[in-house]
Amino acid sequence: MNATLPTAEALRATLAGLLDGLPPKQAAQAVDRLIANYRGTTPTDAPVLRDRSDVAAYAAYRMPATFEAVRSALAALREAAPDWAPATHTDIGGGTGAASWAVAGAWEGPRTTVLDWAEPALALGRELAGLSGIPALTAAEWRRARIGAGLELAPTDLITVSYVLKELTADVRAALVDTAAAAAQAVVVVEPGTPDGYARIIEARDRLIAAGLSVAAPCPHSEACPIEPGTDWCHFSARVSRSSLHRQVKGGSLPYEDEKFSYVVATRFLAQPVGARVIRKPQIRKGQVLLDLCTRDEALRRATVTKRHGELYRAARDVAWGDEWPPGGNA
Ligand SMILES: C[S@@+](CC[C@H](N)C(=O)[O-])C[C@H]1O[C@@H](n2cnc3c(N)ncnc32)[C@H](O)[C@@H]1O
């Protein structure tokens, strides 16, 4: 996990440096336009990120958050497969490269290729990567590609698809997941932590399993998700520190925000999913901690850990939403 910290700081510093030149008013207007566009009926037939100010706004407004969400998903993959490291990585719909930054922080030196149809996003991504001084990023290849019927992917170790499925039609989404499953040893899909983001993750999860991959995270198994459709949605939260520039562009004064996301990681190789994972914010009460868990053997269950549990109680007070329970396994 620590290996990723310098990347988070480098991303903040690089974004601040790059966006310094952008007048705050112009940045705020570009963010407003971006939000309006994203509120419109997606998917669209043409890129939403049309020019440099759109892309700069996206980078300032969203990139720190999508980076943190992918970073959490990759941490879960690393926990499930500590001995595995990708030599090659393809970031599909990679935009300005948030997922590629997260990958560069998680492993040393995978060769990254970023694919996107928006040339301005690729250009800014390339520029940010060049400024980072991080070898895996400066060496990354940024290539224009349209996700659609004609998408061909070269075999690769790792594929990331971060905050992209929402922008695609159902047919294209399904074809993309199938193509990714056929090309990669590990596929990481991340979406907003909303009911419809979760629905797209479940759809992707089903397709990845049908293609012969196994779920490495967040689920403890590759069986059907135990959440009854429409009653709840599995999602997690990543804390995003906000730079002054980020605060200026997004408004508000808090030094952080919490990005809610849903994800699935599936692998062709043997990984070790957790026995149980905390799927809601733990509730700390007087003398007890309530943990909502998704477990390998008992599906969804609530564990009440009290002071009488001693060591386990202390662990429960420290455990976070999204973590394995108990720490180190043996649920
Ligand atoms: C919300 S952004 C996410 C960017 C990046 N993956 C991240 O996590 O920050 C969605 C990206 O998908 C790209 N995209 C959407 N539809 C696409 C398509 N049909 N072909 C290629 N790229 C597409 C957009 O240009 C944009 O860069």
Side-chain angles (χ1 to χ4, degrees), residues 153 159 176-185 187 207-208 211-213 268:
L153 295 174
I159 284 181
L176 169 59
V177 173
D178 293 350
T179 310
Q185 297 301 309
V187 179
R207 300 197 82 87
L208 292 166
L213 281 71
R268 274 208 183 276

Side-chain angles (χ1 to χ4, degrees), residues 38 47 49 58 63 66 91-96 98-99 116-118 121 145-147 162-164 167-168:
Y38 271 104
L49 302 173
Y58 179 83
M63 199 176 167
T66 58
D91 189 5
I92 303 179
T96 53
D116 203 286
W117 66 352
R146 184 190 183 103
I147 304 164
S162 152
Y163 290 80
V164 177
E167 306 203 359
L168 308 173

Side-chain angles (χ1 to χ4, degrees), residues 77 81 84-90 153-160 179-188 208 211-216 265-271:
L77 168 56
W84 183 79
T88 49
H89 162 228
T90 306
L153 295 174
T156 182
D157 290 338
L158 172 66
I159 284 181
T160 48
T179 310
Q185 297 301 309
V187 179
V188 176
L208 292 166
L213 281 71
S214 304
V215 178
V265 179
T267 61
R268 274 208 183 276
F269 51 83
L270 199 65

Side-chain angles (χ1 to χ4, degrees), residues 60-74:
Y61 179 67
R62 288 299 296 149
M63 199 176 167
T66 58
F67 165 82
E68 288 297 345
V70 179
R71 191 157 83 114
S72 298
L74 297 179

Side-chain angles (χ1 to χ4, degrees), residues 1-6 71-72 74-76 78-79 105 323:
M1 295 272 276
N2 282 344
T4 61
L5 289 177
R71 191 157 83 114
S72 298
L74 297 179
R78 289 172 66 201
E79 278 162 19
D323 285 353

Side-chain angles (χ1 to χ4, degrees), residues 96-113:
T96 53
S100 295
W101 279 71
V103 167
W107 296 278
E108 252 172 48
R111 244 179 317 118
T112 284
T113 306

